[in-house]
Amino acid sequence: MNKIWTTYLKGDKVIWMVCLILGMVSLLAVYSSISSLAYKYTQGNTLYYLFKHGIMLASGFFIMYLIHKVNYRYFSRLSQIAVLFAAALLVHTLIIGENSNDASRWLKIPIIDQNYQTSDFAKIALVAYVSRMLVVNRNNLHSFKDGLLPILVPIGLICGLILPANFSTAALLFFVCFTLLFIGGIPFKHLLAVLGISAACFALMLSLSSVAPNLLPRVETWKTRLMSFESGDSEANYQVEHAMMAIHSGGLFPSGPGSGDSRNYLPHPYSDMIYAFIIEEYGAIIGGFGMLLLYLIFLYRSIKVSNACERDFGTLLVIGLSFLLAFQAFINMGVAVSILPVTGQPLPLVSMCRTSIWFTCLAVGMILSVSRTNIEGDTVKGKKRVKRKSYAVA
């Protein structure tokens, strides 16, 4: 076991361990909660979903392993192509993507016949690109036109293309990018201008939806969720109501895997509401606080990795990706305990969410790549560079 840690798994060992624990919790929780879905589609064959989810997790960890072996400096250059490719994919998705509940989010991978959300790839591409541009434009950040605008345009483009189908993902991505702008040194007056422009654009979109409801049909869904959350309408918030029932029946202490009854009535106990199901089977102390602690540890160790990085691109990249994953987890938990309105954000590395696991592992692999380089030194093509604090991107 020690040979595996020292020879194959490089980088921050705590991040590796947190991800492995989350993966094991995911297998247990998904297998225990999948019975209703299995009886509906596979005549009760729960092993089919367990095997499929296990394959997704295993392939995701393989992606994580491969990416963490790559020097993170290459991600800076690749982000220029990736952000353009992500924009093209998002446009393609809006035009001919698979539609569900008035939202076009998915495209199909032809060879393996597997759907994926293009926004998952776009999130990682945009965070890497913003991290790069903050370093490239470091001498012009005081200028709105020359420093901020070249960064703001791709942020607005990617978030704007995600917004019609997935408000929560667009809002989360915008918040993470805004945080990067703040950490990257954008003047406070320019940040206020960004907030003002964003608020104006959002207000314009709401106005357009009122005049032409068919133009943006998802806006009505957002309004309904917000209004039902504020009013506490139990009929509209049936997912949260059932999640609260599962949490209440779980109590403080664990009752064990397979003991949860909410699999029979909780909507999506294997994906969106898996946190509530975990609390029901493992109790509020181990299941509830324990899961929260794992994501907090992941965020803390990632911040330590970013502080140890010798290059500003690596620092910003780790902050952006770790905030993206950690805040997504906190949103999922907040929905389950009725702190936030229903959003549909999966719990990273835990929810059964198809190819989203791959992109989560891709992001973690990039963080581990920075961590590995911090430990081994900045090496490109076998030539080891002297460690120094640098603002160079590549």
Side-chain angles (χ1 to χ4, degrees):
M1 185 66 180
N2 186 55
K3 184 179 180 181
I4 295 177
W5 282 115
T6 56
T7 306
Y8 300 104
L9 303 183
K10 305 293 184 179
D12 193 288
K13 300 298 189 294
V14 177
I15 293 179
W16 274 111
M17 185 58 68
V18 167
C19 292
L20 290 172
I21 293 174
L22 289 174
M24 289 187 291
V25 170
S26 178
L27 286 174
L28 290 172
V30 167
Y31 182 59
S32 182
S33 63
I34 207 66
S35 59
S36 59
L37 186 67
Y39 277 107
K40 184 176 182 180
Y41 292 105
T42 60
Q43 292 76 46
N45 186 6
T46 55
L47 290 177
Y48 167 79
Y49 288 100
L50 176 65
F51 179 76
K52 186 176 181 180
H53 184 59
I55 291 295
M56 299 300 290
L57 277 173
S59 57
F61 274 92
F62 182 65
I63 292 172
M64 189 189 303
Y65 170 77
L66 292 179
I67 295 299
H68 105 288
K69 301 289 287 184
V70 179
N71 190 293
Y72 72 89
R73 292 168 61 197
Y74 292 115
F75 302 143
S76 173
R77 300 177 184 179
L78 290 173
S79 68
Q80 301 173 88
I81 303 173
V83 75
L84 295 175
F85 185 59
L89 283 177
L90 290 170
V91 172
H92 186 64
T93 304
L94 289 175
I95 297 174
I96 65 168
E98 182 178 329
N99 190 285
S100 177
N101 296 326
D102 296 320
S104 297
R105 302 180 183 179
W106 295 274
L107 288 179
K108 183 170 291 187
I109 303 175
I111 299 176
I112 62 175
D113 194 32
Q114 179 68 55
N115 291 339
Y116 72 102
Q117 288 197 46
T118 49
S119 59
D120 289 332
F121 171 73
K123 290 187 296 184
I124 299 173
L126 183 61
V127 167
Y129 184 76
V130 170
S131 301
R132 172 188 170 82
M133 292 303 294
L134 283 170
V135 179
V136 171
N137 290 353
R138 65 188 180 276
N139 294 326
N140 298 318
L141 294 181
H142 62 281
S143 170
F144 187 92
K145 179 181 178 181
D146 299 326
L148 178 58
L149 194 57
I151 307 174
L152 199 58
V153 169
I155 294 176
L157 177 64
I158 297 297
C159 292
L161 290 173
I162 295 174
L163 184 61
N166 197 331
F167 172 79
S168 61
T169 297
L172 172 62
L173 182 58
F174 177 80
F175 175 75
V176 171
C177 290
F178 186 84
T179 303
L180 284 177
L181 295 179
F182 174 75
I183 296 174
I186 298 296
F188 187 69
K189 62 179 181 180
H190 292 166
L191 294 177
L192 290 178
V194 171
L195 290 178
I197 294 171
S198 304
C201 292
F202 188 70
L204 177 62
M205 183 186 65
L206 293 179
S207 300
L208 288 175
S209 69
S210 299
V211 176
N214 294 329
L215 182 62
L216 294 169
R218 288 289 295 175
V219 174
E220 292 302 318
T221 302
W222 308 338
K223 291 180 180 179
T224 302
R225 287 180 176 179
L226 289 174
M227 292 175 63
S228 61
F229 176 75
E230 292 178 358
S231 63
D233 184 357
S234 60
E235 183 177 353
N237 277 328
Y238 72 97
Q239 295 185 64
V240 177
E241 290 292 328
H242 285 83
M244 296 299 290
M245 291 169 57
I247 292 173
H248 180 266
S249 63
L252 291 177
F253 303 103
S255 55
S259 61
D261 294 328
S262 64
R263 66 169 69 87
N264 300 316
Y265 61 81
L266 179 63
H268 309 294
Y270 44 84
S271 55
D272 295 350
M273 293 298 171
I274 197 168
Y275 182 62
F277 184 80
I278 290 173
I279 294 178
E280 182 186 22
E281 293 201 335
Y282 296 94
I285 296 177
I286 296 179
F289 180 72
M291 291 295 295
L292 175 62
L293 183 62
L294 286 173
Y295 288 107
L296 288 174
I297 292 173
F298 169 79
L299 182 60
Y300 171 72
R301 296 299 300 185
S302 297
I303 292 175
K304 290 199 69 173
V305 170
S306 70
N307 289 334
C309 186
E310 294 294 322
R311 291 176 177 267
D312 281 4
F313 170 72
T315 297
L316 294 170
L317 179 68
V318 172
I319 290 175
L321 293 177
S322 61
F323 278 27
L324 191 66
L325 296 179
F327 290 164
Q328 179 180 321
F330 299 153
I331 290 172
N332 178 280
M333 296 176 182
V335 170
V337 298
S338 194
I339 296 177
L340 298 172
V342 176
T343 61
Q345 292 292 327
L347 196 59
L349 288 177
V350 178
S351 294
M352 190 183 77
C353 48
R354 294 186 276 189
T355 54
S356 179
I357 293 175
W358 291 350
F359 293 103
T360 298
C361 291
L362 172 63
V364 176
M366 294 168 73
I367 295 172
L368 289 169
S369 171
V370 178
S371 175
R372 181 187 61 81
T373 307
N374 291 345
I375 298 171
E376 297 182 349
D378 195 356
T379 304
V380 177
K381 293 182 180 180
K383 296 181 180 180
K384 190 171 183 179
R385 298 172 61 91
V386 178
K387 279 192 174 185
R388 61 186 177 86
K389 186 64 178 176
S390 172
Y391 291 98
V393 179

